[in-house]
Amino acid sequence: MKAFNNSKKCIIRKKIHFLILLSFLSFTVTAQTFYTDAEDLADAVNASTNGGTFIVVDGTYNDFEASFEVVATESNPIIIKAETVGGVLLTGESHFVIKKSAFITLEGFVFDGQGEDTLVKLEGSNNIRISRNVFELETTESIKWVFVGGVWNDNTYPFQYPSHHNRIDHNVFQNKETPGHYITIDGSFEDTGSEEIYYQSQYDRIDHNHFKNNGPRAVNEQESIRIGWSEMSLSSGYTTVEHNLFEDCDGDPEIVSVKSCDNIVKHNTFSASYGTLSLRHGNRNRVEGNYFFGNGKEIGTSPAGASLYTGGIRIYGTDHVIINNYMEGLNGTRWDAPITLTLGDAIDGQSSNLSKHFRAERVTIAYNTLVNNSHGIEIGFDNSDNYNKDLEDITIANNLITASENGLVEIVDTANDQGDEITWSSNLMYPTDDATTLVGASTTSFDATEVVNENPNLVFDSSLNVWRTTEDTPLYENTLITGALLEDIDGQNRPSASNPGADHYSMESIRFAPLTPEDVGPDAYGDTSTATWNRPTTSLTNFEVYPNPVSKNLNIKLSVETKGAVSFDLLDATGKHLKSISVPNASTDISVDVQSFPSGTYFLRATNGGVQAAVQFVKF
């Protein structure tokens, strides 16, 4: 196995943390059985009628190929695992297919293949967990390493619908040298006779993985994660990508490519990677609390001779929220600036060609920190006149930008100054040395309500390697976002008058910090729950929200201690107030009808005296 950190391999293969074992053994409700043959393993799993744990004995296995097709249950799941995490090495053509299945966990394998097959493929399956594995594949072919989709040769009911509610967590993906993705979230289609309607796999979660060494740069199709694709870009994925670490992921201009609607990308760390997190297709996506570090990586050159830059977030489509992100030391420009708003070549609802670059509309970019980057927010690049659709209704508010070179805001092609289509509010911009606040503008200018030029008084936190606010950092009134932004990038409370940028100065404990290799992968003891509603605060912990996602009625369950003391407000993803919810004093259970609201991300804000907490949920 090449280029795999030896000390890490030793830990994965030889050290089994007791807590990690407990997190999985708690599911084992039937006798364990052991296997050394792939065919025997598949036969036993597929014949199972009451769940079970199926263990592959530690060792090296060549061409270990198995296909599973069995529907287990949440109470009696199937667990297919290595005898010890990292103790089973699968070489050659080894791969797994999980088809028309449910409630299966695949755990603890090291894939070191040389084949031409997807290493783990999910077809029309749900509640599958791929956890604590190492993936590596030496091949000359374009291969998608982990694929989640429908049943490719069966679009009859119910398999015309894709997979759903799967989880890919605590894995290592490394050393990719050819096109294809580390993870592909795909889907299926329904043939109505007159058209094919595409659906993406829904409610999948990708978390606590370590993605590294993806390169060199390919022309296309070498993203580390691709969510959806152009033909299914109008489908809602509700995919969550969180707490992942990306290091030296250079294979594609898009490190993570989002090509569908209603997804969340949050609390990830991107380090020394050429490219951007790209909202390439789709609408209503949320990018929150991510860290982007250039880490001194110099401008590179692709095999085709193009310049390669470390970048941030590139945005197309409608109704996105870009909030609480931190970007430092990036050298990207044009496609790869820290925040990139190019023009488009199509308008949402006016073009049926879903492969186009749809202009950004109704996008909120707020409370982001940009520190010591070569460029800042770049607007108006038209790709040599190939893009001629102007932006519409963009809000840029409460961001903090400071740098020593170029423009903190740059209109890339001066003729494409977007003027009144961009609303600026309460941004702090502090140019130093050779930097200027605004470059290339023909109509845009800033007044004191839009941009304030003053020292943010940041300090460098050597324990986290980030610039942080201090008690001397200015406070700006939050006039844009109300209930939806109750936390900063650290997960700390953000009051109505708070510091601009991602970090609000606070003495509270930090819940979300930049990730290191120790925080992710098979040996990390990270979050293993699937709950998304629980956001504890000082005195608002005693309520639950379910189901999440929801289609009709959102239920709120209060404890006896909080009934009658809490009020609730429903907000959209930008913080716009939609409705207030009364709580009868005698009630411990409330049902809220949300059926009439459009699909997307919402917040339920709870207030108890002077304390507030927000629960995020998805309406589908």
Side-chain angles (χ1 to χ4, degrees):
M1 183 176 185
K2 58 182 174 61
F4 182 56
N5 184 285
N6 288 332
S7 62
K8 192 69 170 180
K9 180 189 291 186
C10 180
I11 292 173
I12 293 174
R13 292 190 177 187
K14 297 180 180 179
K15 285 181 62 179
I16 308 301
H17 285 206
F18 180 65
L19 289 175
I20 293 175
L21 283 173
L22 284 181
S23 72
F24 293 104
L25 292 180
S26 61
F27 291 108
T28 305
V29 295
T30 60
Q32 300 178 348
T33 51
F34 293 81
Y35 299 88
T36 59
D37 181 82
E39 186 175 348
D40 290 344
L41 172 66
D43 288 344
V45 169
N46 293 333
S48 172
T49 59
N50 194 35
T53 299
F54 302 84
I55 299 174
V56 178
V57 176
D58 281 356
T60 299
Y61 301 85
N62 191 50
D63 297 344
F64 196 91
E65 305 172 47
S67 294
F68 307 104
E69 187 170 341
V70 59
V71 176
T73 64
E74 184 175 12
S75 58
N76 291 300
I78 287 172
I79 300 173
I80 304 166
K81 61 186 295 184
E83 184 178 5
T84 58
V85 173
V88 172
L89 182 65
L90 303 179
T91 63
E93 300 280 347
S94 298
H95 66 278
F96 294 139
V97 176
I98 300 175
K99 181 177 181 179
K100 299 181 182 179
S101 298
F103 293 101
I104 296 176
T105 292
L106 189 69
E107 174 200 341
F109 296 94
V110 176
F111 293 84
D112 190 17
Q114 299 82 40
E116 298 181 0
D117 292 289
T118 293
L119 296 173
V120 178
K121 177 182 284 188
L122 273 57
E123 298 184 47
S125 296
N126 66 83
N127 292 283
I128 308 300
R129 185 175 182 184
I130 303 169
S131 185
R132 303 194 187 276
N133 305 285
V134 176
F135 292 95
E136 186 165 348
L137 178 63
E138 184 177 355
T139 181
T140 59
E141 300 297 319
S142 175
I143 303 294
K144 298 172 174 64
W145 288 17
V146 173
F147 180 90
V148 180
V151 182
W152 71 271
N153 61 347
D154 187 352
N155 66 342
T156 60
Y157 181 83
F159 302 111
Q160 79 268 32
Y161 301 111
S163 302
H164 60 87
H165 290 93
N166 302 295
R167 186 180 180 194
I168 304 169
D169 69 287
H170 292 88
N171 303 286
V172 170
F173 294 84
Q174 63 181 11
N175 303 326
K176 192 171 208 331
E177 298 178 349
T178 58
H181 321 119
Y182 278 141
I183 296 177
T184 306
I185 304 297
D186 206 274
S188 189
F189 68 93
E190 179 181 6
D191 189 347
T192 66
S194 59
E195 63 176 337
E196 293 179 351
I197 301 175
Y198 287 84
Y199 304 91
Q200 188 191 302
S201 179
Q202 295 188 326
Y203 308 111
D204 298 316
R205 182 184 179 196
I206 302 170
D207 66 285
H208 292 91
N209 300 287
H210 192 181
F211 301 90
K212 58 182 179 178
N213 303 333
N214 183 355
R217 172 62 57 86
V219 175
N220 196 12
E221 285 293 302
Q222 200 169 324
E223 302 97 322
S224 290
I225 300 175
R226 195 193 74 189
I227 303 170
W229 60 292
S230 57
E231 288 301 316
M232 63 178 57
S233 60
L234 298 182
S235 170
S236 293
Y238 308 113
T239 308
T240 298
V241 179
E242 60 182 346
H243 305 295
N244 301 284
L245 174 61
F246 300 84
E247 293 186 300
D248 292 300
C249 289
D250 307 329
D252 192 277
E254 300 171 308
I255 305 165
V256 174
S257 183
V258 179
K259 298 184 176 182
S260 62
C261 302
D262 300 299
N263 304 289
I264 298 173
V265 183
K266 63 180 181 179
H267 301 305
N268 304 284
T269 297
F270 298 82
S271 177
S273 296
Y274 292 136
T276 63
L277 190 173
S278 176
L279 302 184
R280 176 61 180 86
H281 295 303
N283 307 318
R284 301 182 303 278
N285 293 298
R286 187 178 182 92
V287 179
E288 177 178 5
N290 302 283
Y291 286 93
F292 298 81
F293 298 103
N295 277 351
K297 192 166 185 172
E298 297 181 356
I299 297 173
T301 304
S302 74
S307 295
L308 303 177
Y309 302 99
T310 53
I313 303 169
R314 182 155 57 107
I315 306 159
Y316 300 100
T318 71
D319 300 296
H320 303 305
V321 175
I322 316 298
I323 206 161
N324 271 347
N325 300 285
Y326 179 96
M327 303 166 186
E328 181 187 350
L330 306 175
N331 55 30
T333 183
R334 298 299 188 268
W335 306 107
D336 301 314
I339 295 178
T340 301
L341 289 162
T342 78
L343 301 189
D345 57 2
I347 296 175
D348 183 57
Q350 296 185 18
S351 175
S352 59
N353 185 348
L354 298 179
S355 67
K356 286 185 173 291
H357 295 73
F358 287 84
R359 73 173 183 188
E361 302 179 43
R362 298 185 302 278
V363 173
T364 298
I365 302 169
Y367 285 100
N368 301 288
T369 294
L370 283 65
V371 179
N372 298 333
N373 303 294
S374 297
H375 301 268
I377 299 176
E378 291 198 346
I379 299 167
F381 178 53
D382 61 20
N383 192 21
S384 301
D385 294 325
N386 288 305
Y387 298 171
N388 59 6
K389 307 301 182 186
D390 288 344
L391 307 175
E392 182 175 281
D393 194 12
I394 309 297
T395 299
I396 301 177
N398 293 85
N399 300 285
L400 189 160
I401 310 177
T402 181
S404 60
E405 60 180 318
N406 298 313
L408 305 188
V409 176
E410 181 174 355
I411 310 302
V412 177
D413 294 315
T414 304
N416 297 325
D417 192 335
Q418 299 300 287
D420 293 340
E421 287 301 336
I422 299 180
T423 300
W424 303 83
S425 176
S426 299
N427 297 282
L428 188 159
M429 297 191 188
Y430 187 59
T432 63
D433 297 339
D434 296 329
T436 57
T437 299
L438 182 61
V439 172
S442 57
T443 60
T444 294
S445 61
F446 298 136
D447 64 30
T449 66
E450 297 170 324
V451 171
V452 180
N453 183 340
E454 61 178 323
N455 193 334
N457 293 307
L458 303 178
V459 297
F460 187 72
D461 185 337
S462 58
S463 64
L464 298 178
N465 292 316
V466 296
W467 290 90
R468 300 178 59 80
T469 55
T470 66
E471 57 186 347
D472 296 320
T473 302
L475 296 174
Y476 294 175
E477 190 67 26
N478 179 2
T479 58
L480 171 68
I481 299 185
T482 54
L485 191 64
L486 295 172
E487 295 178 349
D488 68 358
I489 193 172
D490 297 330
Q492 299 169 340
N493 180 62
R494 185 188 290 277
S496 58
S498 67
N499 304 132
D503 174 44
H504 173 71
Y505 178 71
S506 173
M507 299 303 293
E508 297 177 16
S509 61
I510 295 173
R511 294 169 57 205
F512 307 119
L515 296 168
T516 67
E518 289 71 31
D519 300 317
V520 293
D523 199 50
Y525 188 65
D527 169 33
T528 56
S529 72
T530 57
T532 57
W533 56 265
N534 186 23
R535 295 188 176 223
T537 64
T538 302
S539 60
L540 279 175
T541 59
N542 297 318
F543 68 93
E544 300 178 18
V545 174
Y546 64 95
N548 188 6
V550 60
S551 61
K552 295 181 180 179
N553 293 312
L554 183 72
N555 299 309
I556 308 171
K557 183 177 180 61
L558 297 173
S559 69
V560 174
E561 293 80 6
T562 56
K563 70 175 184 178
V566 180
S567 61
F568 292 94
D569 295 286
L570 189 63
L571 314 160
D572 69 11
T574 68
K576 179 182 178 181
H577 185 271
L578 301 178
K579 66 185 298 184
S580 297
I581 301 163
S582 60
V583 183
N585 287 335
S587 176
T588 56
D589 294 282
I590 309 162
S591 182
V592 182
D593 185 358
V594 297
Q595 188 171 4
S596 62
F597 292 109
S599 298
T601 301
Y602 294 85
F603 288 85
L604 186 72
R605 180 179 64 192
T607 303
N608 183 2
V611 179
Q612 291 187 330
V615 172
Q616 180 177 297
F617 68 92
V618 173
K619 163 69 170 60
F620 68 95

